[in-house]
Amino acid sequence: MNEKQLLDLCLRFPDACVDYPFRDDNTPVLRHRGNRKWFGMILHLNGELCINLKCEPEKAEFWRSTYSGVTPAWHMNKLHWNTVYPNKAMPLRDLQEMIEDSYQLTQSHQKGKSVWPRIGPDAFSYHCIYLKLRRKN
């Protein structure tokens, strides 16, 4: 699996978008447009593709004990986040389940209420592009 394929898996959810909040522009962060919460961060650690995903603590331990390619999250709360290496022997369906769990855990719990004003469906995307261009100048 490559980074684009991993991004495609994450962006299949409604309201999901990619952001590049760091100066290096090499670390895609997957967010909800509505509440802007992260549900994933794609990294390359020691030359290997990986993604940080949120997880319930019991499930986090289960995944870590099941697959060597799932470890406590790099640079995140290790109780609630895992680092997942998709290219280490792991069925695609389990990776998809981990991504979906992370997406659902970070969804807004207040239906109909958003902390961000609704300016338009692509306002957040334009904001992300603006920030990226601004950093380059």
Side-chain angles (χ1 to χ4, degrees), residues 7 24 29-31 40 51 56 67 72 95 105 117 123-124:
L7 274 169
D24 66 5
V29 170
L30 292 309
R31 295 183 186 262
I51 183 169
E56 293 174 342
Y67 298 113
L95 175 61
L105 284 169
F124 181 63

Side-chain angles (χ1 to χ4, degrees), residues 1-3 6 41-52 68-71 83-89:
M1 177 173 292
N2 61 38
E3 186 175 314
L6 188 54
M41 179 170 64
I42 296 176
L43 307 156
H44 293 270
L45 297 177
N46 300 320
E48 290 188 74
L49 176 68
C50 60
I51 183 169
N52 283 352
S68 63
V70 180
T71 61
T83 295
V84 180
Y85 293 84
N87 293 322
K88 291 190 176 177

Side-chain angles (χ1 to χ4, degrees), residues 59-70 89-91 94 98:
K59 268 190 146 177
E61 283 301 318
F62 168 76
W63 291 123
R64 292 172 195 169
S65 66
T66 305
Y67 298 113
S68 63
V70 180
M90 169 187 314
D94 287 346
M98 287 184 248

Side-chain angles (χ1 to χ4, degrees), residues 58-127:
E58 300 81 27
K59 268 190 146 177
E61 283 301 318
F62 168 76
W63 291 123
R64 292 172 195 169
S65 66
T66 305
Y67 298 113
S68 63
V70 180
T71 61
W74 180 83
H75 206 62
M76 304 287 272
N77 180 319
K78 290 165 183 20
L79 180 65
H80 297 281
W81 289 81
N82 279 337
T83 295
V84 180
Y85 293 84
N87 293 322
K88 291 190 176 177
M90 169 187 314
L92 180 59
R93 70 178 184 281
D94 287 346
L95 175 61
Q96 290 170 325
E97 182 180 334
M98 287 184 248
I99 294 169
E100 185 172 349
D101 285 351
S102 184
Y103 177 83
Q104 289 177 353
L105 284 169
T106 54
Q107 276 185 318
S108 179
H109 297 290
Q110 298 177 347
K111 290 195 175 193
K113 292 187 178 181
S114 174
V115 275
W116 296 94
R118 297 254 183 227
I119 309 170
D122 292 323
F124 181 63
S125 296
Y126 292 131
H127 178 71

